[in-house]
Amino acid sequence: MKSPLKIDKERATEIARLLHHAFSTTGIHGRNDMPADTLPVGVKRGSLEHLLFITLTVSINYQRDANVLWNVSRKTFEDPETRYLYDPEALHITRFDKVVGDMQKYGLSKKPRKDPSIWKTVGVTFYKKWEGDPRKFLGDSEWDALTILRRLKEDSHLYRGRSIPDYPFLRGNKLGPYWVRMLRDNTGINRITNLEKVPIPVDIHVARATLATGVVYGQFSGKLTELFGYIREAWFQGVQGLKLKNRPMIALDVDKPLWHLSKYGCTKRDQLTGDCPLFPACETKDFCTGGKIKIQGNYAELNT
């Protein structure tokens, strides 16, 4: 069953304002920490090491529990025997089978050969094309967010006569914008322009929180990913006209608050009735919508 879904722009605006304020002060459900916020021991925020740690970990951040992924990535980085995995030159000269084995030591790779293939491809790309420094790629893209996202999708190289993407998975509709946001929020890179044109990186948490607050509503059954376009558009519209201390609010600014709202709140709501045990203390209780919001894997049913 598929019928036109609707976007409640005014609701999105109110929720964006409320969530951003809560996240910046008391937290959402008492928390405002993100899984990637803790640096590996000895790493300085904004350093090349930090940038490579963020970039390579993001490249395999799909179908993963974020808390687990970033925890095992820190363990892998802090171990002298596996630290080389975050060095593009070392990745280039290391046998693939060794990369496979070392990424399994702490559970960094969930898919034993696919994840190492992604990881090594991204690392070697930065070694061969950008002297091991992602900032050179950003600079060659004129620090423009839209150019960065376009090149993540388009840049490729030849391998045994085949064209291979330079940035597998990092080039995706979720991970590309997610990486760009983390460049700003985690590594402190503040030179990137056109961030207001970058769509919110939609994952299951951003989707669930958007639906549970009634920002996108209606009747639907089908692939969850078919809702993502509505969700991206809803937050583009919702932040219009909102101001932060020194700049306009952008869609990327509500990514972390929405993630928290779902991760520590909306995941506990009844999928059929909308009843939620955390409702009385929830920051968005005045906007919580009833009805069916059922998400199983990439299948969703909506009746709100």
Side-chain angles (χ1 to χ4, degrees):
M1 175 179 62
K2 298 178 183 179
S3 59
L5 296 172
K6 296 180 181 179
I7 293 172
D8 190 329
K9 177 185 181 300
E10 289 72 25
R11 197 179 188 95
T13 299
E14 290 301 314
I15 292 169
R17 180 189 294 112
L18 185 158
L19 285 180
H20 189 273
H21 175 74
F23 186 79
S24 303
T25 53
T26 58
I28 295 172
H29 295 297
R31 303 188 61 158
N32 57 13
D33 57 310
M34 292 295 287
D37 288 350
T38 303
L39 275 64
V41 173
V43 172
K44 182 180 178 182
R45 183 177 185 267
S47 64
L48 177 58
E49 284 184 327
H50 186 206
L51 179 55
L52 289 167
F53 169 74
I54 291 290
T55 300
L56 287 163
T57 308
V58 167
S59 73
I60 60 168
N61 189 12
Y62 66 98
Q63 299 176 352
R64 300 290 295 266
D65 179 283
N67 290 313
V68 173
L69 172 63
W70 289 98
N71 185 46
V72 298
S73 189
R74 278 186 291 272
K75 289 181 179 179
T76 305
F77 190 103
E78 291 166 356
D79 186 334
E81 294 184 357
T82 51
R83 167 67 183 83
Y84 79 90
L85 290 167
Y86 301 83
D87 180 340
E89 182 176 6
L91 278 173
H92 173 60
I93 63 176
T94 301
R95 301 186 323 273
F96 180 67
D97 284 349
K98 178 170 174 53
V99 173
V100 170
D102 287 340
M103 286 185 69
Q104 292 178 350
K105 185 173 184 179
Y106 297 102
L108 180 58
S109 63
K110 186 176 181 181
K111 299 186 177 180
R113 301 200 63 92
K114 182 177 182 179
D115 287 349
S117 177
I118 294 168
W119 187 283
K120 182 162 183 171
T121 298
V122 171
V124 171
T125 290
F126 282 118
Y127 170 70
K128 288 186 174 182
K129 293 191 173 183
W130 308 111
E131 300 177 352
D133 190 343
R135 292 170 297 195
K136 294 185 181 297
F137 166 70
L138 301 175
D140 195 67
S141 301
E142 299 181 336
W143 303 93
D144 176 78
L146 296 184
T147 302
I148 292 166
L149 293 177
R150 176 181 59 78
R151 292 189 63 182
L152 286 177
K153 288 183 178 294
E154 295 178 358
D155 285 9
S156 63
H157 59 277
L158 289 177
Y159 179 72
R160 296 181 178 177
R162 294 191 302 133
S163 179
I164 304 295
D166 281 349
Y167 311 101
F169 277 76
L170 195 60
R171 66 204 287 265
N173 291 331
K174 172 200 165 186
L175 292 188
Y178 177 57
W179 183 54
V180 168
R181 179 186 67 69
M182 294 192 73
L183 294 176
R184 182 194 71 172
D185 293 348
N186 290 76
T187 70
I189 294 175
N190 56 16
R191 298 178 58 185
I192 301 176
T193 60
N194 276 327
L195 286 173
E196 73 280 2
K197 298 177 182 177
V198 176
I200 190 170
V202 185
D203 65 0
I204 190 172
H205 287 303
V206 169
R208 183 185 287 113
T210 303
L211 300 174
T213 53
V215 170
V216 173
Y217 65 98
Q219 293 184 326
F220 174 86
S221 65
K223 292 182 179 179
L224 177 64
T225 49
E226 293 179 22
L227 299 175
F228 286 6
Y230 290 93
I231 294 168
R232 296 185 190 103
E233 180 59 27
W235 295 112
F236 270 134
Q237 293 183 21
V239 298
Q240 289 178 10
L242 293 179
K243 300 286 185 180
L244 300 182
K245 289 182 179 179
N246 56 356
R247 61 174 176 82
M249 184 184 287
I250 63 176
L252 291 179
D253 293 323
V254 292
D255 177 34
K256 293 189 289 187
L258 287 168
W259 188 87
H260 271 71
L261 184 65
S262 171
K263 175 74 172 178
Y264 303 110
C266 301
T267 53
K268 297 175 173 60
R269 64 176 272 148
D270 187 286
Q271 294 195 82
L272 299 180
T273 66
D275 293 339
C276 179
L278 298 182
F279 177 83
C282 183
E283 287 77 10
T284 61
K285 63 182 179 181
D286 291 340
F287 297 95
C288 186
T289 188
K292 178 189 287 188
I293 301 174
K294 185 176 181 180
I295 300 175
Q296 292 182 326
N298 189 36
Y299 177 76
E301 289 185 37
L302 184 67
N303 186 7
T304 55

